[in-house]
Amino acid sequence: MKRLSVSGFRNRTAALKFGRLLMVGALLAIGLATSAQANTVYSYTGNDFTDFIGGYGCTPECGVTGSFTLGQALSANINSPIAPISYSFTDGSTVWTQTNSILWSSQVLTNGQAAIDGWELIFEINPTCGIGCTMSELFTSDSGQTIQDMTQLYPNGSFAAGAYNFSVPGVWTANSTTATPETSTVLLLATGLLGLGAMVMRRKQIA
């Protein structure tokens, strides 16, 4: 029977441990690849506009609705700007998204339960020369004392028409979603580690 020297035994033990570490690392990589990131979607349902200027029309809907998505939920008792991953709002006539507009101004206030208590969101379709020449503007705000939903048109760089409601705030709701990150690279690494670990352990068990 072949006798295993002390040094050979140590080498074999070290190799087996190394193989196990590779396999543990691979399993951790797989866990990381399949884990999901939690996003939070904040949705707003406004009430109908009650005041119109310049013959503004917004059928069949006529009020502010929409949502924005954040990478993590808002904290309690904050007053700060937001940087949404995505957003989509409409007044019933125009739709503002991150692909056709910019969020020119953003500010949210939350209460002790982390619910939105105050807000200012201004979306612009044509932001190339600032708010003065925007083609369309959606404004939903709690500006201190006056709560209002408002939409306005600036077809030639000056105000032409708009629709509003005052002191009739809508409702914000929050829902958590999951966004699974890109996994192909991590899974490829994990597969390689698993294979290498298994090979090392098999060879040393045969030796």
Side-chain angles (χ1 to χ4, degrees):
M1 181 176 65
K2 182 178 179 181
R3 299 184 64 183
L4 187 66
S5 65
V6 174
S7 61
F9 178 80
R10 288 176 178 172
N11 289 339
R12 179 179 176 183
T13 302
L16 288 173
K17 288 182 178 179
F18 179 68
R20 292 192 186 100
L21 286 174
L22 285 176
M23 297 185 76
V24 169
L27 292 174
L28 288 174
I30 292 174
L32 177 64
T34 56
S35 64
Q37 177 185 356
N39 293 335
T40 303
V41 178
Y42 292 87
S43 301
Y44 182 71
T45 303
N47 292 300
D48 291 342
F49 293 128
T50 56
D51 297 272
F52 299 86
I53 298 175
Y56 191 88
C58 49
T59 57
E61 296 179 43
C62 211
V64 177
T65 59
S67 64
F68 60 80
T69 302
L70 299 178
Q72 60 183 14
L74 294 169
S75 302
N77 301 313
I78 64 169
N79 180 357
S80 63
I82 59 171
I85 298 171
S86 61
Y87 60 83
S88 179
F89 281 82
T90 183
D91 64 354
S93 176
T94 303
V95 177
W96 293 264
T97 70
Q98 68 275 10
T99 60
N100 72 346
S101 66
I102 66 165
L103 182 54
W104 183 82
S105 177
S106 69
Q107 194 80 9
V108 295
L109 293 79
T110 61
N111 59 23
Q113 287 72 48
I116 296 178
D117 233 7
W119 60 96
E120 181 182 71
L121 303 174
I122 300 177
F123 304 92
E124 294 186 6
I125 293 294
N126 182 11
T128 55
C129 57
I131 192 170
C133 63
T134 183
M135 296 297 292
S136 297
E137 175 185 342
L138 169 63
F139 185 47
T140 303
S141 75
D142 177 355
S143 53
Q145 297 181 2
T146 301
I147 299 172
Q148 57 186 342
D149 291 353
M150 175 170 66
T151 186
Q152 296 180 335
L153 293 179
Y154 292 84
N156 299 305
S158 60
F159 175 78
Y164 317 84
N165 65 36
F166 297 97
S167 302
V168 189
V171 177
W172 284 100
T173 57
N175 292 286
S176 295
T177 64
T178 55
T180 304
E182 179 64 39
T183 60
S184 58
T185 302
V186 180
L187 288 176
L188 184 62
L189 172 63
T191 302
L193 288 174
L194 280 172
L196 182 59
M199 182 180 66
V200 170
M201 293 182 70
R202 184 166 56 251
R203 286 185 176 181
K204 292 306 175 181
Q205 287 172 348
I206 293 174

